[in-house]
Amino acid sequence: MKKTIGIVVGLLFSVVMVQAQDYVALDRFMKKYCQNWRTGYQEHAGGEEFRTIVQLGQPMPEFNFTRQLNSKKLQGKFVVLNFWATWCGGCRILSCDIDTVMRREPGVYEGVQVIGVDANETLTDKGYKAEEWWKEKGIGYPTVGGKNADACCASIKGGHPTAILVDAQGIIRGRWDAWSPRVAEAIHLAIWALKVMPEQGIRTELETVQMYMEKGEVLKALYLLELMPEDKDNSVLRYKCLMMVKPEEAVVFFEKLKQKYEADKPVDSWTWFPSEEYLEIARGIADCIYASSSKELGVLKNGVDAMQVVMNSRGAKSYTDYEKLGELRVKYAEMYKQRGIDMLKMAIKAAEEKSQDEAEVKRLRTKLKLYQE
């Protein structure tokens, strides 16, 4: 009997640990890939100092908007509270963005209640009427307003916009402040990661990642990859995801690959040959960059470097290898030249602002014209 109880307790403890790891994984992912993610709100600590009051993992304060939309009635459901107001441009955009994402994949929102919380509406008047605007835009989830909405916003120190994700136990699991193009997608991913993944038993397998990539659901694919150890089998997929979501992270990842596989590379690189494993990864990365429309300088440089690895291999090179390396070098050079032109434009602007001699400004303009031709 004691042995059985011990096994049950062990299993329960394992489940709790897995859930805790999920929250940690989501926090880590959002901090890395969503600039609007917050763990709480900033509180003035005296002088010029501020401290963060952590809300993630804390109970959501009670709210009571209507008979159906209140914290007691919604127990057992995930809840998204989208704090907005008509005078806030970012709020209006985010409200529509959330609706668009919900319509695209409604299955994720089964057992989820999304609520627009029209708070502090009277701060300014830009000519909009909240309910009329909501209906005019055809937003499919409800919005509420009034004193209870204001009180709810105040209870979590909400901004405009602020979105709060509450889990089925009434615990705050996500907070996003302000608007950017990926916020609605980030909220969507958080619901999928914390609710849909456990319910559907979605596993962190390469085949699942490939499936999401084929469906164009890059954030889901990247989230699964972030739960998996980096290895040769997922390196190309990982780079492709990073390139599409956050190019600077793709560049960092490629540098890690170079450090790993080129540790034995001598100064005279003509005497060095890449391993078959590295060659396969480099060719895959070069191919995905070549096929992309990326104009990121760092990504294009990765493409050139990856193709150079291919050219350093022992095997025979095809004409398409030379073609890819040549075209990637041209694209990289063109973007590098554009960076230089932009810098010259900044030099002209700075010279004009500091009232430099007209002859000096003219000299800079002549130089710019030379490089623009």
Side-chain angles (χ1 to χ4, degrees), residues 236 238-255 257-258 282-308 324-325 327-333 335-336 339:
V236 176
R238 190 180 295 272
Y239 186 92
K240 188 174 183 179
C241 283
L242 290 170
M243 181 180 69
M244 298 171 73
V245 175
K246 197 171 183 181
E248 57 268 36
E249 287 295 333
V251 174
V252 170
F253 177 63
F254 187 77
E255 287 303 313
L257 290 174
K258 286 178 67 177
R283 186 179 286 281
I285 289 175
D287 285 347
C288 83
I289 295 172
Y290 182 77
S292 76
S293 58
S294 177
K295 294 183 179 180
E296 294 287 335
L297 197 64
V299 169
L300 292 172
K301 179 64 164 58
N302 289 166
V304 171
D305 289 348
M307 274 309 302
Q308 195 59 60
K324 287 176 183 176
L325 178 56
E327 195 168 344
L328 284 166
R329 279 178 170 172
V330 169
K331 287 181 178 179
Y332 174 65
M335 288 308 301
Y336 207 90
R339 289 283 184 92

